[in-house]
Each structure stands twice: as structure tokens, then as C-alpha cells.
Amino acid sequence: MLRTVMLAAARSRACRDLAENTPLLRPLVDRFVAGETLDAVLAATAALTTDRLVTIDHLGEDTHDRAAADAVVDAYVALLGRLAATGLARRAEVSVKLSALGQALPDDDADKIALDNARRICAAAAEAGTTVTVDMEDHTTTDSTLGIVADLRADHPWVGAVLQAQLRRTEGDCRALAGPGSRVRLCKGAYAEPAAVAFRDKHEVDTSYVRCLKILMAGDGLPMVATHDPRLVAIARHLADEHGRGPGDYELQMLNGVRPDAQRELAAEGLTVRVYLPYGTEWYGYFMRRLAERPANLAFFARSLLTRS
Ligand code: FDA
């Protein structure tokens, strides 16, 4: 119930305006977000890549204006240029949301605009010597996003896809995407979805995650196991061993600011750990999804309000 309310608030303009004008939220936002500027995210990337890999997200989503979508592309191209120039591209890639690149525009050719914009980012990533993963948004975008990933992979087979275990369709998508070289990030899914298309019960989502993981680990691609759930991490490690996958043959992925000690411990054990690192001014939607995942984050926020008053 609380999760549904938080996720509805994540899409509300009024809540967003209120949150952005509440300085007391800043410490909690800073836990998850690297900062607002390119310099800030490069500094955070340099620190994290001493023992982990990174995927950087330039925050923004649901862009309804063509110029804003173009500006997002420019920001990614600038970011990739700096990653190359600083040598960080060896250990850092980028994650992109297609709704920030034009997929959500009212135009009839919105998908083509998003594809062309994503192509520009992939070309810049290729030049920098790194990769791109295309985030997955709510279920109304899944077919369009997977179609665009397939088109991008024609030129850049290393483009990563994201699948959400909470969707009923995802086992089938895992089978379709488990081929040679295919980079697939498996997550639970951060969006409020209707029961017709998604499992709503936590246990059902978790068991779906395990079924999907089995398909990806048995396949020929690179499974990217995106979860902070210690039981699922243990199952992933067990399945990797069973299929003879070494540390370089799959990734464990976690969000910046979530279970950082576990991230460091897993990396110290020699496993490949990648941190999803967002930056930029458009933090509201991302931040609200993080609050929705864990009610304790709200308590943390309430405590910070009390200690300041
Ligand atoms: P679960 O929510 O069950 O959490 C397990 C444990 O992890 C919790 O008990 C808690 O200890 C800790 N934890 C989890 N979230 C926390 C938080 N916000 N704050 C503090 N502790 C927390 N989703 C999507 O729809 N599309 C996408 O493209 C992506 N991309 C993505 C990339 C990466 C690298 C990760 C790790 C996650 C995503 N997600 C995503 C988000 C994902 O779908 C999911 O919402 C979160 O990862 C939370 O689910 P868990 O698997 O961590 O399990």
C-alpha cells in the first residue's frame, strides 16, 4: 500500500515541486545520488572504481520535449568523452532511460527519435571504449524498449538489456535474450504494475527472479544480477558455480548507497560488482522509487527532520 502511494507520488508534478524545494531532503538524496554535476559524478566514479565497476545514469525520464531529449544526449556524449579522457571508461559504462531520449514524446515517430538518440550515445560509448545498458521502465514500454535494444545491437552487440522479474512475461524474454554475448541485467522491477501483467506478491516476484536467473545462468550471455537481496545473491553465486561461470562471467550489480558494505565485501572476495551511480538535477523520480523500496528510508528521513528541529 505504502509502496503504491510512493510510486504514485513519484509521477506527481506537485509532489515533485514540493520535494525539490525541501532542503531537508538533501542528505537522503545524497545517499543515492552522486551529485548534480559532471565533476561530482567523475569524482564518485574514481572512488568507486578502485574496487568495483560502475554504470552511470544521467538522471531524467519521461521527457516530453524534443530539445530536452537532445540535451540529455549531449550530456551523455560529454560524460563519455570525460570517461575516456580520464581513463575511467575502462571501469565505467553508462545506463540510459529511453523515456529521457524521446520514447515518451507525443510524436508518432517517438520510438525512432529515441532510437536515433540512443545510437548517438552508443557511438560515443564505442569511441570511449565502453558499453551502454538500456534501463527498463514501466510495462507499457517493454516491447518498444526491447525492440530498440535489438536495433542498437545490430551495430553494437554489447548493448545491455534490462528485464524485470516482477513481469509475468520475463521468463520468455530471458529465453529470447540468453544468447551468446548478450548482456542482460535482471532486476525485480521498480514500477507499480497491474496484476494482469505482474506478480504483486513479494514471494512470487522472488521465485520468478530465481527462474529467470536459472535461464540466464544456463545461457551463453553475461547475466548481470541486479539485486541487494542477500538470498538471491547467494543463489546467483551457487548457479554460477553450477554452470562453471567464473567471476568474469557474470556481474553482481547494486545501487549506489544501498548495502555499500556488502558491495565492498563481495568485491574483496574477487567477484565482479558493478554500482549503478546516478547524477544530475532530475533526481525526484529515481529518489521516490528508492524510498518506495524500503519504508525504513522514510523513517531515516523523519529522524533527520526531528534532529534538525
Ligand atoms: P528488495 O527490494 O527485496 O530488497 C532486498 C534488501 O535490499 C532490502 O531488505 C534492503 O536491505 C535492501 N534494499 C533494497 N532497496 C533498498 C533501498 N532503496 N534502500 C535501502 N535498502 C534497500 N528497476 C527497474 O524497474 N528498471 C531498471 O532498469 C532497474 N535498474 C536497476 C539497476 C541496478 C544495478 C539495481 C540494483 C536495481 C535496478 N532496478 C531497476 C531496481 C530494482 O528493480 C529494485 O526495485 C531494487 O533493486 C530493489 O529490489 P531488490 O532486488 O534489491 O530487493
Side-chain angles (χ1 to χ4, degrees):
M1 173 66 182
L2 182 60
R3 177 172 185 256
T4 311
V5 172
M6 297 299 294
L7 290 176
R11 296 223 133 125
S12 151
R13 183 77 234 182
C15 293
R16 176 183 169 154
D17 290 344
L18 183 68
E20 287 179 352
N21 290 305
T22 306
L24 287 173
L25 271 183
R26 201 64 234 182
L28 192 48
V29 175
D30 289 344
R31 172 178 168 192
F32 300 109
V33 175
E36 297 201 340
T37 63
L38 192 45
D39 284 338
V41 78
L42 289 171
T45 303
L48 285 166
T49 50
T50 54
D51 64 344
R52 284 156 281 174
L53 303 178
V54 165
T55 184
I56 303 175
D57 169 40
H58 178 268
L59 288 164
E61 53 198 87
D62 291 335
T63 301
H64 291 288
D65 147 14
R66 184 79 190 259
D70 290 343
V72 172
V73 179
D74 292 343
Y76 272 105
V77 171
L79 166 64
L80 286 157
R82 291 285 298 278
L83 287 176
T86 52
L88 290 169
R90 280 193 296 277
R91 294 183 65 79
E93 63 145 29
V94 298
S95 282
V96 300
K97 281 190 176 50
L98 292 179
S99 77
L101 300 183
Q103 190 186 41
L105 291 174
D107 312 40
D108 288 342
D109 60 346
D111 277 11
K112 179 160 183 332
I113 295 169
L115 172 61
D116 289 345
N117 281 338
R119 280 203 168 112
R120 280 183 57 204
I121 295 173
C122 288
E127 204 175 311
T130 188
T131 52
V132 176
T133 295
V134 179
D135 285 351
M136 189 58 80
E137 299 175 69
D138 74 69
H139 82 278
T140 62
T141 66
T142 310
D143 283 326
S144 154
T145 298
L146 292 180
I148 290 173
V149 167
D151 286 343
L152 293 171
R153 282 183 170 185
D155 293 324
H156 305 294
W158 42 254
V159 170
V162 178
L163 296 177
Q164 298 155 320
Q166 72 171 352
L167 295 189
R168 296 178 191 275
R169 60 178 282 167
T170 296
E171 269 183 82
D173 290 332
C174 286
R175 276 188 210 97
L177 287 175
S182 174
R183 299 171 64 246
V184 179
R185 177 197 298 158
L186 180 65
C187 64
K188 289 189 185 179
Y191 297 82
E193 302 286 16
V197 299
F199 302 111
R200 307 283 291 272
D201 173 72
K202 179 177 160 41
H203 178 69
E204 280 189 305
V205 175
D206 290 356
T207 50
S208 167
Y209 196 104
V210 175
R211 288 194 300 275
C212 292
L213 206 45
K214 284 182 176 166
I215 297 167
L216 295 176
M217 286 290 185
D220 298 313
L222 181 85
M224 302 188 285
V225 184
T227 181
H228 314 95
D229 188 328
R231 279 200 323 153
L232 292 179
V233 170
I235 291 170
R237 295 181 65 174
H238 175 75
L239 287 171
D241 286 347
E242 229 176 56
H243 290 284
R245 288 179 177 272
D249 303 325
Y250 69 105
E251 290 183 5
L252 298 173
Q253 298 195 343
M254 296 195 190
L255 302 176
N256 184 55
V258 181
R259 301 196 66 217
D261 294 345
Q263 295 177 18
R264 282 188 288 267
E265 282 160 21
L266 292 163
E269 283 187 60
L271 295 163
T272 304
V273 179
R274 191 182 291 274
V275 182
Y276 186 101
L277 183 65
Y279 81 105
T281 53
E282 301 282 312
W283 48 263
Y284 177 72
Y286 178 88
F287 172 71
M288 291 300 282
R289 289 193 293 279
R290 302 295 77 81
L291 289 192
E293 279 154 8
R294 198 162 180 247
N297 289 340
L298 284 174
F300 178 88
F301 170 53
R303 266 202 313 278
S304 70
L305 277 183
L306 286 173
T307 50
R308 275 152 196 269
S309 60

